[in-house]
Amino acid sequence: MSETGDAIATRGRDLPTLRGPHYQTLRSLGVLVGVELAVVPIALATLNPMLAALLPVTLFFAWVFWLRRQSNEALKACNQGADLLDRGRFEAAEQVLDDVLVRRRMVTHLQPLAAYHRARIELFRGNLEGARVRLVAVMASGWFGPNRMLQALAPQVQSALALTAALQGDLDAAERSLADGKAGPNSLERWWYLADAVVTLRRGRPAELIRQLDEQRDDIEATLSGRGLRQLQLLEAFALTQLAEREDNYRGVHSGADIDALLHGQRPGTFDFMAGSWPQLRDFMHSRRLFAPASLRSRP
């Protein structure tokens, strides 16, 4: 069953607040007015008009310089957190990103970027609900909209949101996120392969997925690598298994050797998060021993 954005956002009230673009403009104006109100009376009392004119401007630009320095440090931390995340060091990445979200509240335009990477941590840990709540808040911040500072990253956030909803089985919400993301000016096909594949499989259309992957093979291999490509190969192997179970003659086209080749090099535990709310994929991964050893031991 599809949930509304308001219902999901309600569960995210305990997360750090992501202030929108308008807050930053109003804050700068407020700081400038506050400096004027504090300094001008003192300067006028000294009968120094030059001081009255220059001191507020000097103090304001000093604040702007300090804020830029904070922004540079926050951006460096976001990049470091993303790098740690991509290397699978979730605890270290979480610490770095949470520091941005909690201690660098003044850098409002980078808070959503840190929150996006923080949502990815929850996704890869298998906490689909936590990841989705965070991603909804990220999109609601307004920083990824048209003509906003983080607009270019909007497809990545939308694809992660669509993937999370699809893995939960909320296919209507996943397709809405896909439609919104694909309609944006920064949409690239590579962002949608994985979420599209999950939606297609969960709609019960493995043959359609195989056809799509065959048609897009060159584009996929040219634009995806590493983790993204291995995830698609896992889903392709799963789709082939479903087809082999349904059609006796399908092995004449795609044999078990195809499945083994697709799963070659898959490390157990890497994609456990994909099967947490997907019983059919969970059974397939279990049969192929693709879960982490701890997951296999805890499985009933």
Side-chain angles (χ1 to χ4, degrees), residues 6-29:
D6 290 341
I8 296 173
T10 298
R11 297 197 297 275
R13 288 176 177 171
D14 295 335
L15 299 177
T17 301
L18 301 178
R19 298 185 175 93
H22 297 299
Y23 173 84
Q24 190 175 39
T25 302
L26 293 174
R27 183 187 61 187
S28 298
L29 181 60

Side-chain angles (χ1 to χ4, degrees), residues 1-3 128 132 161-175 198-199 202-203 274 276-280:
M1 182 174 62
S2 179
E3 293 186 87
L128 301 181
R132 189 173 176 187
L161 182 56
L163 174 62
T164 304
L167 290 174
Q168 286 185 303
D170 193 351
L171 303 182
D172 291 340
E175 289 176 335
V198 174
V199 170
R202 299 213 71 168
R203 291 289 188 195
M274 296 182 67
S277 298
W278 193 349
Q280 295 84 358

Side-chain angles (χ1 to χ4, degrees), residues 23-249:
Y23 173 84
Q24 190 175 39
T25 302
L26 293 174
R27 183 187 61 187
S28 298
L29 181 60
V31 169
L32 180 59
V33 171
V35 169
E36 291 278 0
L37 292 176
V39 173
V40 170
I42 298 174
L44 292 177
T46 63
L47 300 178
N48 190 335
M50 184 65 69
L51 181 63
L54 293 180
L55 187 56
V57 175
T58 301
L59 291 176
F60 177 74
F61 278 103
W63 177 77
V64 170
F65 177 80
W66 173 83
L67 187 60
R68 177 173 295 182
R69 182 175 179 180
Q70 291 290 308
S71 298
N72 291 337
E73 293 178 358
L75 180 58
K76 181 179 179 181
C78 287
N79 291 336
Q80 180 186 5
D83 178 65
L84 291 168
L85 169 58
D86 291 338
R87 288 189 280 147
R89 298 178 56 187
F90 296 157
E91 290 77 11
E94 179 181 5
Q95 183 177 359
V96 171
L97 295 169
D98 281 349
D99 182 73
V100 175
L101 290 168
V102 174
R103 296 180 55 193
R104 300 189 186 277
R105 303 290 298 159
M106 296 293 288
V107 190
T108 54
H109 63 289
L110 292 179
Q111 292 274 301
L113 180 60
Y116 162 62
H117 291 310
R118 187 64 179 78
R120 292 174 62 212
I121 294 177
E122 296 304 317
L123 171 61
F124 295 153
R125 282 175 168 166
N127 180 13
L128 301 181
E129 182 67 15
R132 189 173 176 187
V133 168
R134 290 175 182 271
L135 289 167
V136 167
V138 167
M139 288 304 303
S141 70
W143 285 103
F144 296 86
N147 302 316
R148 297 302 183 186
M149 188 173 296
L150 300 177
Q151 178 185 357
L153 298 177
Q156 299 178 45
V157 181
Q158 289 282 24
S159 65
L161 182 56
L163 174 62
T164 304
L167 290 174
Q168 286 185 303
D170 193 351
L171 303 182
D172 291 340
E175 289 176 335
R176 286 196 299 271
S177 293
L178 284 169
D180 291 342
K182 291 178 180 180
N186 298 287
S187 174
L188 295 174
E189 284 297 321
R190 62 185 173 130
W191 297 120
W192 318 118
Y193 292 134
L194 183 58
D196 274 334
V198 174
V199 170
T200 301
L201 275 179
R202 299 213 71 168
R203 291 289 188 195
R205 301 194 291 261
E208 180 180 335
L209 175 62
I210 297 302
R211 177 182 57 79
Q212 291 174 347
L213 293 177
D214 285 341
E215 291 175 351
Q216 300 171 329
R217 187 77 60 188
D218 291 341
D219 291 336
I220 290 173
E221 293 179 352
T223 56
L224 292 185
S225 61
R227 187 184 191 96
L229 187 58
R230 290 195 301 273
Q231 284 176 279
L232 271 183
Q233 290 171 335
L234 170 64
L235 294 177
E236 184 176 2
F238 177 46
L240 289 174
T241 300
Q242 289 185 311
L243 287 174
E245 293 172 352
R246 297 179 186 180
E247 304 176 22
D248 293 338
N249 63 343

